Amino acid sequence: MWNARGKVAATVLTTAMLGSLLAACGNNDNGDTNGSTNGASNGGSDNKPVTLKLLHNWNGSGGGNVEPDMTPIAKAIKEKTGVTVKFEYTKGSEVEKINTIFATQDLPDIYTGPAWGGELDGVIKAAKEDQLVDLTGKLDKYPNLAKEVQKENVPPALYDKAIGGIDGKQYMLFQNQPASDKDAMDWLYGFYVRKDIATKIGVDPQSVKTKDELFNFLKKIKDANLQENGMPVFPLGGFSNGWAVGIGNTMFYGSDYADKGDGTLEHVFFTKPYEDYTLYYRKLISDGLLDPETFTQTDPIAKEKINQGRIAVLAAHYPAILDASKEYVKSHPGSDYIPVGPLERAGAEDNRPVDLGIQGNNVTVITKECKNVDAALKLLDFLASDEGFKLVHYGIEGTDYDMVDGKPVAKKDVFDKFNADTTGKAKKDEGFGIGLESMTGLDRTNTLGGDIWADQERTAAMDSARKILRPNGIQVISAYNAGDFISKSPQWETLKPSMDQIGDVWKEAVFAKSDEAALKVINQLRSQIKKTGYDDAMKFVNDSLKGKEVVKLQMAN
């Protein structure tokens, strides 16, 4: 999924990283099981040229050295649909961006962005303000789009909240939900240590299982006084804005809403395990085990530290770690990042498969400013077809790849060119990874041929990490999450500003001078949340969830 880490950065720190998720498999009318028809429907429109502006609301996304609409893939899309796509990319907060465009009316023709949190709330608000095109009755002309919003292909709470309709009208499309369990992508979030550093301190990373063992592991790294080019090596670090060092929370609690023991739920922020989690991280910082700049640094600075060899343990998903450390590993053989653990999970039996929330990462809407709604729908329907999916993910058949025994196989010269480019610009210049993948309907990557551009070393590293971190496999969550219901409560408008402060207060607490000061900060916000309608909102949540299966264990995907 596109730049998945951007949202997890925010959700980890706000403890709202766990949503209600479902991977579902849908069948085609023609008997396929890949979740889309073979080609895009004409939808009643022709191929007259039209240029549409598309806002890709993911921080860090972007094109390569050439204009995104001038790439070979973009040109092929234009030939098929008549549409030239002019991309706009978000460089700051995704939530601020969506709120700004609808407030200022500086609107794109098409918007696509995260399917959760404040970004989704912004889309819902725009729908209620009649700023989006009502798709009710239109999708019967576009079968690929109709399929991606069918109830069985959407996580249940997300369907109820947004995708199934707002005030009885259909506004939203939903992309990248796995078409089948086979297509579920596990990004392998966890803690990863440089192999050479683990060897230096004489600790097997796979022997580290508990929160105390992780703490002692990091302390042993610090006590080794390691340096790179005269600069100290931090035992633990992350990427920009604190992503994703907070994922150690799963050692303390299973999900954002905990059972109070009587069958009712409360937000984990009000629990003792949350206090323990906060104080654990406060001690990491006070003892010099966690890079204190992690929560304020930019992504370039974070990656510079990694390339300088100054971060011993990284917390994130594995693909991001492999990408960020590729140059350093190339010049320092044996410095690969390898998994720590698997670590204990609060409330989970040792033999339990890892509970993953597999969720499509994009909601796409057409704004009322769109100059040609039919062209927009035709474009999106083509991208969601098998033909469009293959074009966006694999490129031009015969140029970028060949079909061998019914499966796409990358051309060796193209593969080698991409593999040799550590910056990723070569792929973007061809049209890969510039945002189109976000709109290719149900995720059918494995069904249609897998990731043909993944280098063998990367694939081997992922497979190796998966064997370590997922010894009992995974299970995809299909239950409801309380977080999807509290936002529907009558108190939410007054409660939300207080709840939104949880992430900032957590950071303030972990930098407090004492445990007492940290708990005082937390308790002050607890009191504020209570005063703004929390108890009544939770009564609404618990009443709404009666008789429903509720998420109680989940790890980030």
Side-chain angles (χ1 to χ4, degrees), residues 527-547:
S527 177
Q528 179 179 326
I529 291 174
K530 287 274 190 178
K531 291 177 181 177
T532 52
Y534 170 80
D535 289 332
D536 289 338
M538 284 308 302
K539 183 179 185 305
F540 173 87
V541 170
N542 283 302
D543 288 345
S544 300
L545 287 172
K546 285 180 180 177

Side-chain angles (χ1 to χ4, degrees), residues 383-555:
L383 293 176
S385 69
D386 283 357
E387 181 183 4
F389 190 99
K390 289 178 181 178
L391 173 62
V392 170
H393 289 265
Y394 304 140
I396 312 297
E397 184 176 355
T399 300
D400 299 313
Y401 74 97
D402 294 313
M403 293 299 293
V404 179
D405 296 329
K407 296 291 184 181
V409 176
K411 291 275 192 180
K412 186 178 185 306
D413 59 332
V414 181
F415 179 92
D416 290 343
K417 179 178 71 172
F418 291 167
N419 194 44
D421 175 28
T422 58
T423 68
K425 291 180 179 178
K427 290 185 72 175
K428 289 188 174 185
D429 288 347
E430 296 298 318
F432 298 102
I434 63 172
L436 292 166
E437 291 91 342
S438 299
M439 298 172 291
T440 50
L442 294 172
D443 185 2
R444 311 183 297 285
T445 301
N446 293 330
T447 299
L448 293 181
D451 182 0
I452 67 173
W453 304 115
D455 66 74
Q456 293 183 354
E457 290 183 3
R458 181 190 182 97
T459 300
M462 291 287 289
D463 289 344
S464 177
R466 187 171 291 108
K467 290 176 182 177
I468 294 170
L469 296 179
R470 311 292 190 242
N472 303 304
I474 66 171
Q475 55 187 6
V476 177
I477 294 172
S478 61
Y480 286 87
N481 188 287
D484 296 307
F485 286 84
I486 195 169
S487 61
K488 296 181 180 179
S489 69
Q491 297 77 24
W492 184 241
E493 186 174 345
T494 56
L495 178 59
K496 183 178 184 296
S498 298
M499 297 290 284
D500 285 346
Q501 295 179 44
I502 290 176
D504 290 336
V505 164
W506 183 81
K507 285 187 281 187
E508 183 180 350
V510 298
F511 281 99
K513 293 183 178 180
S514 66
D515 286 355
E516 292 75 17
L519 294 177
K520 182 179 180 180
V521 170
I522 288 175
N523 285 325
Q524 286 174 340
L525 181 58
R526 284 172 170 171
S527 177
Q528 179 179 326
I529 291 174
K530 287 274 190 178
K531 291 177 181 177
T532 52
Y534 170 80
D535 289 332
D536 289 338
M538 284 308 302
K539 183 179 185 305
F540 173 87
V541 170
N542 283 302
D543 288 345
S544 300
L545 287 172
K546 285 180 180 177
K548 291 182 171 68
E549 183 184 0
V550 180
V551 174
K552 294 183 180 178
L553 281 170
Q554 182 172 341
M555 291 189 70

Side-chain angles (χ1 to χ4, degrees), residues 128-146:
K128 291 182 175 180
E129 293 174 350
D130 195 32
Q131 299 198 66
L132 305 179
V133 172
D134 178 10
L135 302 179
T136 306
K138 295 181 182 294
L139 296 187
D140 57 341
K141 299 178 182 178
Y142 303 96
N144 301 303
L145 301 182

Side-chain angles (χ1 to χ4, degrees), residues 255-289:
S255 69
D256 281 350
Y257 290 82
D259 193 323
K260 295 168 65 175
D262 59 0
T264 63
L265 302 172
E266 66 178 339
H267 195 284
V268 72
F269 183 68
F270 289 87
T271 67
K272 178 66 164 53
Y274 188 87
E275 294 178 359
D276 295 340
Y277 157 64
T278 304
L279 297 182
Y280 182 89
Y281 272 79
R282 195 199 78 79
K283 188 166 177 58
L284 288 178
I285 290 175
S286 64
D287 285 14
L289 305 183

Side-chain angles (χ1 to χ4, degrees), residues 193-195 198-199 203-209 217 338-342:
V193 63
R194 268 179 37 194
K195 186 191 304 183
T199 300
V203 176
D204 176 6
Q206 277 75 70
S207 70
V208 179
K209 305 290 186 183
F217 181 56
I338 57 176
V340 176

